[in-house]
Short mmCIF file of all heavy atoms in Angstrom, two decimals:
data_model
loop_
_atom_site.label_atom_id
_atom_site.label_comp_id
_atom_site.label_asym_id
_atom_site.label_seq_id
_atom_site.Cartn_x
_atom_site.Cartn_y
_atom_site.Cartn_z
N PRO A 223 -73.92 -16.77 107.61
CA PRO A 223 -73.43 -17.99 106.92
C PRO A 223 -72.45 -18.67 107.81
O PRO A 223 -71.57 -18.11 108.36
CB PRO A 223 -72.77 -17.36 105.67
CG PRO A 223 -73.34 -15.95 105.53
CD PRO A 223 -73.65 -15.55 106.91
N THR A 284 -44.11 -30.07 124.74
CA THR A 284 -44.84 -30.42 123.51
C THR A 284 -44.10 -29.93 122.26
O THR A 284 -43.01 -29.33 122.37
CB THR A 284 -46.25 -29.77 123.53
OG1 THR A 284 -46.07 -28.31 123.50
CG2 THR A 284 -47.03 -30.15 124.72
N PHE A 286 -45.30 -27.63 120.41
CA PHE A 286 -45.73 -26.25 120.22
C PHE A 286 -44.63 -25.30 120.72
O PHE A 286 -43.92 -25.58 121.73
CB PHE A 286 -47.03 -25.93 120.95
CG PHE A 286 -48.23 -26.71 120.44
CD1 PHE A 286 -48.82 -27.67 121.20
CD2 PHE A 286 -48.68 -26.51 119.19
CE1 PHE A 286 -49.91 -28.39 120.74
CE2 PHE A 286 -49.79 -27.22 118.68
CZ PHE A 286 -50.40 -28.15 119.46
N SER A 302 -63.81 -22.24 126.39
CA SER A 302 -64.18 -22.40 127.80
C SER A 302 -65.15 -21.39 128.33
O SER A 302 -65.58 -21.46 129.46
CB SER A 302 -62.94 -22.41 128.66
OG SER A 302 -62.24 -21.16 128.56
N ASP A 308 -65.86 -20.25 133.09
CA ASP A 308 -65.12 -20.60 134.34
C ASP A 308 -63.63 -20.99 134.04
O ASP A 308 -62.95 -21.53 134.92
CB ASP A 308 -65.75 -21.70 135.12
CG ASP A 308 -65.92 -23.02 134.32
OD1 ASP A 308 -65.54 -23.02 133.12
OD2 ASP A 308 -66.41 -23.97 134.91
N GLU A 314 -70.34 -29.94 127.27
CA GLU A 314 -71.30 -29.20 126.46
C GLU A 314 -70.60 -28.24 125.57
O GLU A 314 -71.03 -28.01 124.40
CB GLU A 314 -72.29 -28.45 127.39
CG GLU A 314 -73.18 -29.38 128.24
CD GLU A 314 -72.51 -29.70 129.58
OE1 GLU A 314 -71.28 -29.45 129.68
OE2 GLU A 314 -73.26 -30.18 130.48
N ASN A 328 -72.61 -37.81 120.53
CA ASN A 328 -71.65 -38.43 119.59
C ASN A 328 -70.61 -39.18 120.30
O ASN A 328 -69.84 -38.61 121.13
CB ASN A 328 -71.02 -37.23 118.73
CG ASN A 328 -70.07 -37.78 117.69
OD1 ASN A 328 -68.90 -38.12 118.03
ND2 ASN A 328 -70.52 -37.81 116.47
N PHE A 351 -55.58 -29.56 127.61
CA PHE A 351 -55.95 -29.13 126.27
C PHE A 351 -54.72 -29.11 125.33
O PHE A 351 -54.74 -29.68 124.25
CB PHE A 351 -56.58 -27.78 126.33
CG PHE A 351 -57.08 -27.23 124.99
CD1 PHE A 351 -58.20 -27.81 124.41
CD2 PHE A 351 -56.54 -26.12 124.44
CE1 PHE A 351 -58.65 -27.27 123.20
CE2 PHE A 351 -56.96 -25.60 123.26
CZ PHE A 351 -58.07 -26.16 122.65
N LEU A 377 -62.98 -48.59 124.17
CA LEU A 377 -64.02 -47.90 125.00
C LEU A 377 -64.05 -48.36 126.45
O LEU A 377 -64.32 -47.56 127.30
CB LEU A 377 -65.37 -48.17 124.33
CG LEU A 377 -65.57 -47.65 122.92
CD1 LEU A 377 -66.94 -48.07 122.38
CD2 LEU A 377 -65.45 -46.15 122.86
N THR A 380 -59.74 -51.66 128.48
CA THR A 380 -59.23 -52.95 128.93
C THR A 380 -57.84 -53.24 128.38
O THR A 380 -57.25 -54.26 128.73
CB THR A 380 -60.15 -54.04 128.44
OG1 THR A 380 -60.27 -54.01 127.03
CG2 THR A 380 -61.55 -53.96 129.12
N SER A 399 -72.06 -39.38 109.92
CA SER A 399 -71.69 -38.99 108.54
C SER A 399 -72.86 -39.16 107.57
O SER A 399 -72.77 -38.80 106.41
CB SER A 399 -70.51 -39.85 108.08
OG SER A 399 -70.91 -41.21 107.97
N PRO A 449 -54.19 -30.03 110.36
CA PRO A 449 -53.24 -29.09 109.72
C PRO A 449 -53.23 -27.67 110.32
O PRO A 449 -52.22 -26.99 110.32
CB PRO A 449 -53.66 -29.05 108.26
CG PRO A 449 -54.35 -30.42 108.05
CD PRO A 449 -55.03 -30.66 109.38
N THR A 455 -50.85 -19.58 115.30
CA THR A 455 -50.50 -18.19 115.63
C THR A 455 -51.10 -17.24 114.59
O THR A 455 -51.37 -16.09 114.91
CB THR A 455 -49.00 -17.98 115.65
OG1 THR A 455 -48.38 -18.40 114.44
CG2 THR A 455 -48.34 -18.79 116.82
#
Side-chain angles (χ1 to χ4, degrees):
T284 64
F286 298 113
S302 63
D308 59 357
E314 296 88 347
N328 182 280
F351 183 70
L377 298 176
T380 59
S399 65
T455 56

